Amino acid sequence: MDTNNESRNATPSASRRNLLTVAGVSLASLSVGSAAAAPAGPDSEVRLGSTWDKTFPRSAKVEHRKVTFRNRYGIVLAADVYQPRNAKGRLPAIAIGGPFGAVKEQSSGLHAQTLAERGFVTVAFDGSHTGESSGIPRNVASPDINTEDFSAAVDFLGLQPNVDRERIGMLGICGWGGMALSAVAVDKRVKAVAVSTMYDMTRVMSKGYNDSMTSEQRARVLEQLSRQRWTDARRGAPDYQPAYNKERAGAQFLIDYHDYYMTPRGYHARAVNSGNAWTRTTPLSFMNMPILTYIKEIAPRPILFIHGEKAHSRYFSETAYAAAAEPKELVIVSGASHTDLYDRVDIIPFDKLASFFTQHLASA
């Protein structure tokens, strides 16, 4: 089934009912439905779990440790570092984040461990205000803060004694693909960037899927979001959207999200998308901040775009690829959906990712 066609057919009617739901983020059902309970979480103090609670098996080829580091806003990020077992010398490194609403125990950790098997030091982290990272309130996102989170991971990697700080790359998955491109445009320390199954979260929240949101719908969304601020200010705490991905229904890509986030395949209790939710006002900062405005400034550093042939989100990579300057490459994975590239190790082109980073993070 062509999920691109299905999403185009499904989105306009969904927009009329609910204005918009994008990547699990409901922008307009602000006065209907029961909100998810406010999740508990750390503030300035981060308590890291000690058990292996990933959604993928541990590799005997890789050493793993849990770490923390601060971004420039003072938020403490929790992360997992993976490195080849018994590696010698200073190695190339990759900062890895995503998907949007996921945690490091899911897709980003799988990518980090697999690339560590290929010879890289990798760090997969929880974004600010999510997972094991600090930040109050819980489960709120920001295109600025989350872009900064990626650069904070580069800060961390560049201080490790076994990392060559002149050989650092970045990998963003789903909505964190857009964050990675935004970060690399301004962070000249990063030598190469790859994005997989990418979303531009500022585009989809401000314009809807396939840019289908009308100006009238946008105005209504902003009206509701603005008034929600008074409700939150009166309560002294944010309200939360209805829980994500609970129901296996709707367009095929929504069923795919459920089948990843709410089944043993990818469920994790700390993930926003695994039956939790973003704050109702999370979309506000995404509505007028196009994060890919300066994508051309990544050049002459290379960009690798990877996307599934059947992914409803494929157009994000195609238009970002068109806007980027050379050197760039777009790889379309035959038959793959959006979520196939989260964890399907038989489909994810790890050989391509490894060769891309090996080439472009080579020793001077």
Side-chain angles (χ1 to χ4, degrees):
M1 179 178 294
D2 186 341
T3 53
N4 280 296
N5 289 338
E6 181 169 7
S7 68
R8 290 187 183 99
N9 292 336
T11 301
S13 59
S15 295
R16 285 193 290 272
R17 288 194 308 272
N18 227 16
L19 288 193
L20 185 64
T21 301
V22 293
V25 181
S26 173
L27 297 191
S29 55
L30 300 178
S31 58
V32 297
S34 57
D43 187 5
S44 59
E45 205 173 318
V46 172
R47 297 177 181 85
L48 300 177
S50 58
T51 60
W52 182 267
D53 59 348
K54 320 301 184 194
T55 59
F56 51 91
R58 192 167 191 165
S59 171
K61 301 176 182 178
V62 169
E63 295 177 1
H64 163 265
R65 61 190 171 100
K66 302 192 77 165
V67 300
T68 61
F69 51 88
R70 289 184 186 271
N71 68 17
R72 68 187 180 89
Y73 294 113
I75 299 169
V76 180
L77 302 185
D80 290 303
V81 173
Y82 300 85
Q83 61 189 49
R85 191 169 293 280
N86 301 319
K88 305 293 185 183
R90 298 172 69 188
L91 303 177
I94 309 169
I96 304 176
F100 190 75
V103 288
K104 63 189 181 302
E105 288 75 20
Q106 296 171 315
S107 181
S108 62
L110 171 64
H111 282 72
Q113 179 175 260
T114 306
L115 288 169
E117 291 177 334
R118 309 296 184 93
F120 302 91
V121 176
T122 61
V123 60
F125 59 90
D126 287 334
S128 294
H129 299 268
T130 66
E132 291 183 303
S133 292
S134 73
I136 293 294
R138 302 304 296 162
N139 293 1
V140 61
S142 158
D144 177 35
I145 294 174
N146 295 147
T147 292
E148 159 60 24
D149 290 342
F150 252 130
S151 285
V154 176
D155 294 344
F156 169 82
L157 287 171
L159 298 179
Q160 303 312 299
N162 64 333
V163 168
D164 182 345
R165 66 165 55 177
E166 300 305 322
R167 300 164 67 197
I168 296 177
M170 197 174 283
L171 170 60
I173 305 163
C174 183
W176 282 79
M179 309 298 182
L181 294 173
S182 176
V184 177
V186 296
D187 194 334
K188 300 298 186 181
R189 300 172 299 174
V190 181
K191 299 302 189 291
V193 57
V195 294
S196 179
T197 201
M198 188 206 54
Y199 264 71
D200 174 354
M201 295 307 302
T202 55
R203 178 181 178 184
V204 74
M205 287 202 200
S206 63
K207 297 182 178 181
Y209 278 116
N210 300 294
D211 302 334
S212 62
M213 182 186 285
T214 67
S215 57
E216 292 78 10
Q217 288 171 334
R218 177 180 167 85
R220 289 200 297 274
V221 169
L222 290 172
E223 178 74 22
Q224 290 176 307
L225 291 170
S226 300
R227 291 186 175 276
Q228 181 66 35
R229 294 184 64 119
W230 272 328
T231 301
D232 293 351
R234 184 181 303 112
R235 292 178 64 240
D239 196 5
Y240 286 80
Q241 300 171 29
Y244 295 163
N245 302 313
K246 284 284 193 181
E247 303 299 324
R248 192 177 189 273
Q252 182 60 48
F253 71 92
L254 298 176
I255 293 173
D256 291 345
Y257 282 141
H258 170 90
D259 289 350
Y260 178 76
Y261 285 109
M262 298 304 297
T263 70
R265 172 186 167 194
Y267 175 83
H268 198 284
R270 288 192 294 271
V272 177
N273 289 340
S274 290
N276 299 304
W278 295 110
T279 64
R280 289 195 185 272
T281 57
T282 283
L284 271 172
S285 59
F286 290 82
M287 295 293 281
N288 63 350
M289 188 181 291
I291 56 175
L292 300 188
T293 300
Y294 297 101
I295 190 171
K296 287 184 183 297
E297 295 186 7
I298 293 175
R301 296 164 296 162
I303 310 174
L304 173 64
F305 296 86
I306 298 171
H307 225 104
E309 177 191 13
K310 299 294 183 67
H312 68 285
S313 53
R314 177 174 164 179
Y315 71 99
F316 289 117
S317 283
E318 290 176 332
T319 55
Y321 172 80
E326 296 284 358
K328 60 184 178 180
E329 184 176 1
L330 174 61
V331 173
I332 300 298
V333 180
S334 177
S337 71
H338 181 85
T339 56
D340 283 341
L341 297 182
Y342 284 4
D343 67 333
R344 292 280 304 276
V345 295
D346 57 326
I347 290 178
I348 298 169
F350 280 117
D351 287 344
K352 178 63 179 178
L353 282 166
S355 64
F356 171 79
F357 284 117
T358 297
Q359 175 185 354
H360 297 295
L361 301 181
S363 250

